[in-house]
Amino acid sequence: MKTRLVILIFVVFAVLLPVQSQTFPAQDTAKLIPLSPENVEKLKQLQVYGQGQPGEVAWSPDGKILAVADTLGVWLYDVEDWGNPPSLIVNFDNVEMYWDASWGPLVEFSPNGKLLAFSGGYSIRFWDMEQQIELTDLQQNVPTTSIAFSPDGKQFVSGGYLQLIFWNTETWEIEKVWTSPQNNDYTRLGAISFSPNGELLATNGSYRGNVQLWNPHAETFEDALVANLGATPYDDIVLETEFSPNSQIVVSASGIFGAVRVFNVATFEEIDLEAIYGSSIAFSSDGQYLATAPTGVPHPGPYSGPTTVDIFDAETFENTYIWEEHESVRFLEFNPTGNLLAAVSSFDGRVRILDVSANAPVGIIHTALNARNMAMSSDSQILRVDAIAFDGSGLIDIETGDLLHHYELSRSIDRNSSGAVHSTFNAVGNYLTVQFT
């Protein structure tokens, strides 16, 4: 099959005229200092345009706020009016970040809604929702792969490679550290979830797909293990664990092979169900629904196809609704009343909201810019950005950060292509050439 190169040339006089009518300070290029390793630390950030790649999302306990953690920081959305611009309460500037598609960035509300925890690597930070200030910054020696508050809010647990750390939420001192032996059964200790009754703690294990149940009140790692629920059928890493609201069932979702497994907490036996696939899972707070979403990425496992979010009856596990038009959903989260569901796509960087009670999409509230290519006009007034957020190319006023115009080229984000758009200004800056395969 031949790949066709399509070149589109757009006349942009109408777009540029309003910008050219503004007054910009003249640049004396002779006074510009060449960039070098010796002076790179003098660079200063002037402006940030767009939003980052989203990770976890969290609803406030009263359901009025949705927090979205992305690669820039944490955004707060007004649930009662999605049209209100979100506020970026904290950013990750000057923080050593580390994550991959398996976990971060991470975000979690405390049970009383007074604290918001977030992490993107070695640092775990806490925001006071009442005072609107940052309270503390906890550091651990390994990347944070999962975080969770205990149901009573008195403990905060962070997971990372071979360890779980229990923090006291009043003093922020470490109460205990569980360190596992370095073997094939315990390597990750992420995907943390507390049972709602506070009696059990679930984590993932190794790349064998183990799921462990722990006694969170035990002092040592050796005394804490309650049950090892064993490996997935395909030795796949478990990405999430979640208890049902009544604490009687624990569900796990694994990675690229997408196996969802359901266990009876009392007997530790797996419940035999027809195949359910998902790399992300979420229970509604009333226990009525279980939502799952497979990766949608081709692989040798049992599931390979387009991503949909499936809503199941949590008692019968019958599929009650299929929510389509997604790209590789990584995180799912119900709001406290169970009528809204947030889905985070790791491919196109969008956060979508579903009204579960009406089985109707609410809309897209968060979109990562996902810039692939950019260039500046010859007069340094306009920045051209090729990005997934535009489904093509966008023109941005450098001084104000306003989006002047964008050209939608949907073929540019075909998942079978490189995903890249390449566009260039001509020397004068009044034509834009856009090419894609």
Side-chain angles (χ1 to χ4, degrees):
M1 178 182 293
K2 295 182 178 180
T3 301
R4 294 186 299 173
L5 180 65
V6 181
I7 300 178
L8 304 180
I9 300 179
F10 299 92
V11 180
V12 293
F13 285 109
V15 175
L16 299 184
L17 281 175
V19 182
Q20 291 175 337
S21 65
Q22 300 177 18
T23 301
F24 289 85
Q27 288 191 357
D28 185 355
T29 56
K31 295 182 180 180
L32 296 179
I33 301 174
L35 185 63
S36 68
E38 289 72 27
N39 62 17
V40 68
E41 72 280 355
K42 296 181 179 180
L43 287 175
K44 294 183 179 180
Q45 179 178 290
L46 299 179
Q47 193 169 133
V48 175
Y49 182 84
Q51 295 175 303
Q53 184 72 15
E56 284 190 343
V57 298
W59 302 84
S60 61
D62 61 9
K64 295 181 179 180
I65 296 173
L66 178 65
V68 177
D70 71 6
T71 47
L72 290 178
V74 179
W75 302 82
L76 298 184
Y77 287 85
D78 182 353
V79 176
E80 296 179 349
D81 187 355
W82 295 112
N84 281 341
S87 57
L88 182 64
I89 58 169
V90 293
N91 60 61
F92 291 141
D93 290 348
N94 303 318
V95 176
E96 185 175 5
M97 307 300 290
Y98 181 94
W99 62 74
D100 66 17
S102 298
W103 60 87
L106 311 171
V107 65
E108 183 90 6
F109 276 100
S110 62
N112 61 12
K114 294 182 178 181
L115 296 179
L116 182 66
F118 44 93
S119 176
Y122 298 88
S123 173
I124 308 169
R125 302 162 70 179
F126 294 84
W127 183 261
D128 187 309
M129 294 296 295
E130 294 180 341
Q131 301 183 57
Q132 292 294 294
I133 58 173
E134 187 172 335
L135 289 180
T136 188
D137 185 352
L138 306 179
Q139 299 288 328
Q140 60 180 42
N141 58 354
V142 296
T144 308
T145 60
S146 188
I147 57 176
F149 283 94
S150 61
D152 60 11
K154 295 181 179 181
Q155 284 185 322
F156 177 82
V157 182
S158 60
Y161 181 74
L162 294 176
Q163 71 178 21
L164 291 177
I165 302 178
F166 293 75
W167 309 82
N168 184 301
T169 56
E170 292 186 0
T171 64
W172 298 113
E173 295 180 353
I174 295 177
E175 293 185 342
K176 56 190 176 186
V177 179
W178 291 353
T179 303
S180 70
Q182 188 169 359
N183 59 38
N184 289 331
D185 288 327
Y186 313 102
T187 56
R188 299 273 289 199
L189 292 181
I192 302 170
S193 65
F194 275 94
S195 61
N197 61 14
E199 295 302 314
L200 290 173
L201 181 71
T203 69
N204 67 2
S206 68
Y207 286 94
R208 285 175 155 180
N210 303 63
V211 177
Q212 285 89 29
L213 298 182
W214 309 86
N215 175 5
H217 309 296
E219 289 299 321
T220 65
F221 176 86
E222 291 76 15
D223 296 333
L225 185 64
V226 174
N228 188 336
L229 302 182
T232 66
Y234 300 94
D235 287 350
D236 195 10
I237 182 67
V238 169
L239 297 180
E240 290 190 28
T241 64
E242 183 153 349
F243 286 90
S244 60
N246 61 11
S247 301
Q248 296 178 6
I249 290 174
V250 64
V251 181
S252 68
S254 59
I256 60 172
F257 292 104
V260 172
R261 306 173 73 193
V262 182
F263 297 90
N264 184 308
V265 172
T267 64
F268 308 130
E269 294 180 353
E270 185 169 1
I271 299 174
D272 187 17
L273 300 172
E274 293 186 9
I276 299 177
Y277 301 112
S279 56
S280 183
I281 50 178
F283 273 107
S284 60
S285 58
D286 59 4
Q288 184 176 354
Y289 300 112
L290 172 67
T292 71
T295 61
V297 178
H299 52 67
Y303 180 86
S304 180
T307 300
T308 61
V309 175
D310 297 322
I311 311 294
F312 294 89
D313 183 303
E315 291 187 3
T316 64
F317 294 98
E318 294 181 358
N319 194 320
T320 61
Y321 181 74
I322 298 177
W323 186 19
E324 299 180 340
E325 299 181 1
H326 289 279
E327 291 284 355
S328 190
V329 172
R330 176 59 192 90
F331 296 104
L332 294 170
E333 193 73 23
F334 277 99
N335 71 338
T337 57
N339 67 313
L340 295 178
L341 177 67
V344 181
S345 168
S346 58
F347 176 74
D348 62 10
R350 290 180 167 94
V351 179
R352 296 171 172 87
I353 306 296
L354 173 72
D355 185 336
V356 180
S357 59
N359 287 339
V362 174
I364 298 171
I365 64 162
H366 184 101
T367 301
L369 185 62
N370 276 332
R372 302 301 179 87
N373 189 22
M374 64 184 68
M376 192 176 296
S377 62
S378 57
D379 58 6
S380 300
Q381 296 183 8
I382 296 175
L383 180 68
R384 184 225 74 227
V385 180
D386 305 328
I388 286 182
F390 302 137
D391 290 334
S393 298
L395 301 179
I396 299 171
D397 186 316
I398 291 177
E399 183 173 271
T400 66
D402 293 336
L403 176 65
L404 303 172
H405 196 73
H406 75 281
Y407 302 100
E408 292 185 6
L409 304 170
S410 59
R411 287 185 56 194
S412 65
I413 59 169
D414 185 335
R415 81 164 47 247
N416 295 319
S417 72
S418 63
V421 186
H422 299 283
S423 58
T424 54
F425 284 103
N426 65 344
V428 180
N430 63 337
Y431 284 88
L432 180 69
T433 302
V434 183
Q435 62 181 14
F436 62 99
T437 54

